[in-house]
Amino acid sequence: MSETAKLELAGKTYELPIITGTENEKAIDIRSLRAETGYVTLDNGFMNTGSCQSGITFLNGEEGILRYRGYPIEQLAEQSRFLEVAYLLAYGELPTQAQFDEYLKQMSNFNNLPNGVQKIIEQFPNNSHPMGVISSTVCSLCSFYPEYLKMPLEAEDRERGIVQMMAQTKIIAASFYRQTINKKPVPSDPSLGYTGDFLNMMFDKEPEPEILKALDVLFMLHADHEQNCSASTVRVVGSSEANIFATVSGGINALWGQLHGGANQRVLEMLTKIRDAGGDYKMFINKAKDKSDPFRLMGFGHRVYKNFDPRAKIIKKACDVVLEKLNVQDPLLDIAKGLEEEARSDDYFVSRNLYPNVDFYSGIIYKALGIPTNMFTVMFVLGRLPGWLAQWKEMREDSSIKISRPRQIYVGHNKREYVPINNR
Ligand code: CMC
């Protein structure tokens, strides 16, 4: 007999099925709970709630394991390429050479932006935050490609939408940056590879292979992270059958927040503040521990990783490679390493399992590459895009999917009578 959990409520016993994932992860299936018992569950921040069954990414926070479609992140970072990983996430298998060539060919149909989109970008003031520009401009694409508004979306349009987003989002990001430095956009040249094309569009200069590899690794490490805040947003927005651009735009906005992808910008601002205050990082550690102080050590802690973030380990190494190759001595790196060392031996951080996360060292790499601080989270967008697209595709292909619509526990007033304004 299959395993069940027993729930006792008001003298009655209910049996709830147990679901076991391929890595032996256990879940209690509560899908029939409300219908059978009248009860719902309450789970602030969804800390204990599985929102879907997914075959894309496996993550074990206790052991620091991250795998895409079964492949360990360490192997992919060492041997693969970002676009190959993007293909793997979307289609479930590593591509053959012929499949990969076809994927690139499809993408090359979207090597520029419609004129109108370019004009929209031009309307943004140069001091706009690039995350707002990217999310609005990505959403605006639906006005230029109305075929994606058709519902139900044909499988062919879904596949085209995925490669289109991969090709055009980086063009939008680089175009806006060029505008902020009063330079014309540089045309996309996919023959330079994903990261090469992006850096060339930003700086009108082909980067060194070591730099390309480091950025490619960084993007691979960001590519998916199962049901994080932005991926969940993508699934929630996409569950209403909103179009692909509106859906991805939702993910971009969720990523912007400083507790999620926006942390990479905040880390650099924090390190700069520590440097400007004389480099006394112990003082900032104490501030982070002080519950009456809202300051948090940005780039530290994670909802799921409670041992170490496997991505942070790889990024720390990439950081050393980039700084050495570019011959950059960045005092912020010393402050970052000092902070990490101090926090690792401090009971506050150790007892709460707070370790550097993916955002802690990535900003130092971006800074060395010449990426402006307010574009750091845009770099995260470019890395995370394949994950959002894969999550959206998986959801759209699942015929059992339901519109996301949680319940609540109402704690407001009970019924009361309206009082006209002059009697209040
Ligand atoms: N500095 C100081 N204290 C912290 C920090 C931090 N960075 N992170 C967590 N804590 C404390 C928190 O105050 C709480 O203490 P107590 O148990 O005494 O109340 C405890 O650790 C647990 O924290 P939480 O906020 O309940 O944990 P969470 O799982 O809800 O939040 C987090 C996870 C990532 C939002 C949080 O650790 C944080 O705010 N970190 C800083 C922002 C950051 O680096 N975000 C990037 C996350 S990784 C990349 C991504 O997702 O995009």
Side-chain angles (χ1 to χ4, degrees), residues 271-272 274-275 279 281 323 328-338 364 367:
L271 295 175
T272 308
I274 298 176
R275 183 200 60 197
Y281 47 79
L323 296 198
V328 170
Q329 260 94 43
D330 191 340
L332 297 189
L333 180 62
D334 299 330
I335 293 174
K337 286 185 173 168
I364 295 175
K367 179 169 174 262

Side-chain angles (χ1 to χ4, degrees), residues 320-378:
D320 288 332
V321 170
V322 169
L323 296 198
E324 195 188 318
K325 181 72 201 164
L326 295 175
N327 201 13
V328 170
Q329 260 94 43
D330 191 340
L332 297 189
L333 180 62
D334 299 330
I335 293 174
K337 286 185 173 168
L339 264 183
E340 179 181 349
E341 207 176 304
E342 192 68 24
R344 276 183 185 278
S345 57
D346 188 301
D347 187 55
Y348 175 94
F349 293 91
V350 174
S351 63
R352 288 171 179 76
N353 298 311
L354 301 171
Y355 300 94
N357 58 48
V358 69
D359 294 317
F360 195 63
Y361 286 102
S362 59
I364 295 175
I365 302 184
Y366 297 144
K367 179 169 174 262
L369 297 180
I371 309 284
T373 314
N374 68 1
M375 270 193 80
F376 287 6
T377 314
V378 171

